[in-house]
Amino acid sequence: MSDDIRDRITALFADAGVTGRLHATDLDSGREVGVGADTPVLTGSVFKVPLVLALHRVADAGRVDPAALVTVEPDTRTPGPTGIGAMADPVTMSLRDLAHLAISVSDNAAADALADHLGLDAVAEAVAAAGMTRTAVVEVCRDVAARTASSLGTGDPALLGSLLTDPAALSRLSTLDVSVSNRTTARDCTTLLAGLWRDEVASPRSCAAVRRLLALQVWPHRLASGFPFDDVRVSGKTGTLPTVRNEIGVVEYPDGGRYAVAVFTRSAATALTLPRADAVIGTAARAAVEHLRTGRR
């Protein structure tokens, strides 16, 4: 890999006011682009991909029925802005439909209900099977919320809103400490995606099911924004924490080109809305993929 593409991607991150880590690989040729690809990073909701893979691996082993129904009660579920987490009444649905919500709209309540049913040991087994040697899933969404409240001294949503944009408050936020939080690397994530697209990390049927969910993600403002073409398919999963914006996914071209991309960013600014930080995920991914496509066209 030439220094030119690394320098270009690094400059894109700097112009957007973020520190970025990226790994992209051509799933067929093995060519790759990396910027800090082996640096540990916070996953945010990217952890939901190995979580959903764990469901399908356990189902492959006959240890769980993905159609089994689970009731998620309002007084015990993890709150959140999407899916079950934002609903008022008890919800009963299958494990595989919980997985659908966890990926497509990043539903924290659905993800935690799924993790409660499977256990984090099953997620660790999926992580190991995928070859993610520098990845650890040590908590679920409710744990992140509890540690955030503990670090900031309040769980009051009205107070949290201002604290989560306060640089002094964020400096003591334990959920931004990569050493004690869910963590991974950009290279580990493209390794996971490659295994899913090659049917290597679960049965072909299960890998196809996870790929389908990634293709149903509703958020277009990060990875997909770099590929605004009707004939290019982007399947992905975002992750977000204060100052953290991530996405991993696979970009598929009509000529058969397939590229796994993982982009993780930390912003210097603390505002909750940072469109430049979101957009650079797509811009940097596009630069990496176009570099990998050199010679294909």
Side-chain angles (χ1 to χ4, degrees):
M1 178 180 64
S2 71
D3 289 337
D4 288 348
I5 186 60
R6 276 194 295 254
D7 291 346
R8 181 181 172 197
I9 291 169
T10 300
L12 289 170
F13 288 141
D15 287 345
V18 304
T19 299
R21 312 299 183 191
L22 174 148
H23 190 252
T25 184
D26 184 323
L27 292 180
D28 299 301
S29 73
R31 294 183 66 208
E32 62 180 18
V33 173
V35 175
D38 299 305
T39 301
V41 290
L42 296 160
T43 66
S45 286
V46 167
F47 92 91
K48 293 167 185 173
V49 182
L51 169 64
V52 169
L53 172 60
L55 167 65
H56 288 281
R57 286 180 53 82
V58 171
D60 285 344
R63 289 154 45 197
V64 72
D65 178 1
L69 297 178
V70 174
T71 298
V72 188
E73 300 287 351
D75 57 345
T76 59
R77 65 186 172 221
T78 307
T82 60
I84 296 170
M87 295 178 184
D89 300 312
V91 174
T92 299
M93 63 173 55
S94 67
L95 293 170
R96 62 189 172 197
D97 282 344
L98 289 172
H100 182 169
L101 289 179
I103 298 296
S104 63
V105 297
S106 204
D107 183 344
N108 291 341
D112 283 5
L114 187 58
D116 290 344
H117 195 87
L118 297 174
L120 289 184
D121 285 348
V123 183
E125 291 173 6
V127 164
M132 303 175 76
T133 59
R134 303 191 68 182
T135 296
V137 177
V138 297
E139 59 188 349
V140 296
C141 301
R142 78 168 67 87
D143 302 322
V144 175
R147 287 205 295 128
T148 298
S150 177
S151 294
L152 300 181
T154 181
D156 184 342
L159 296 175
L160 283 174
S162 60
L163 288 172
L164 289 174
T165 59
D166 180 345
L170 291 182
S171 70
R172 62 178 187 269
L173 188 57
S174 68
T175 45
L176 297 181
D177 182 349
V178 72
S179 69
V180 295
S181 304
N182 289 342
R183 55 196 177 273
T184 189
T185 67
R187 189 187 305 274
D188 262 14
C189 288
T190 58
T191 298
L192 167 63
L193 294 167
L196 285 167
W197 258 253
R198 295 172 182 154
D199 294 338
E200 295 171 346
V201 294
S203 69
R205 179 177 179 180
S206 287
C207 287
V210 179
R211 293 195 300 267
R212 172 181 172 271
L213 295 183
L214 293 170
L216 293 174
Q217 181 187 228
V218 301
W219 315 120
H221 61 310
R222 293 185 182 167
L223 184 59
S225 70
F227 305 90
F229 313 110
D230 289 342
D231 58 354
V232 175
R233 179 186 182 95
V234 179
S235 306
K237 179 70 198 79
T238 59
T240 307
L241 291 167
T243 72
V244 172
R245 287 157 178 80
N246 309 327
E247 187 161 357
I248 70 171
V250 171
V251 181
E252 299 176 271
Y253 281 75
D255 63 3
R258 308 180 301 165
Y259 309 90
V261 187
V263 186
F264 293 82
T265 74
R266 287 286 296 269
S267 174
T270 60
L272 295 178
T273 301
L274 289 170
R276 291 178 64 210
D278 289 320
V280 77
I281 293 175
T283 306
R286 173 79 174 274
V289 168
E290 288 188 338
H291 176 78
L292 294 175
R293 284 179 60 77
T294 301
R296 176 182 283 271
R297 295 186 295 271

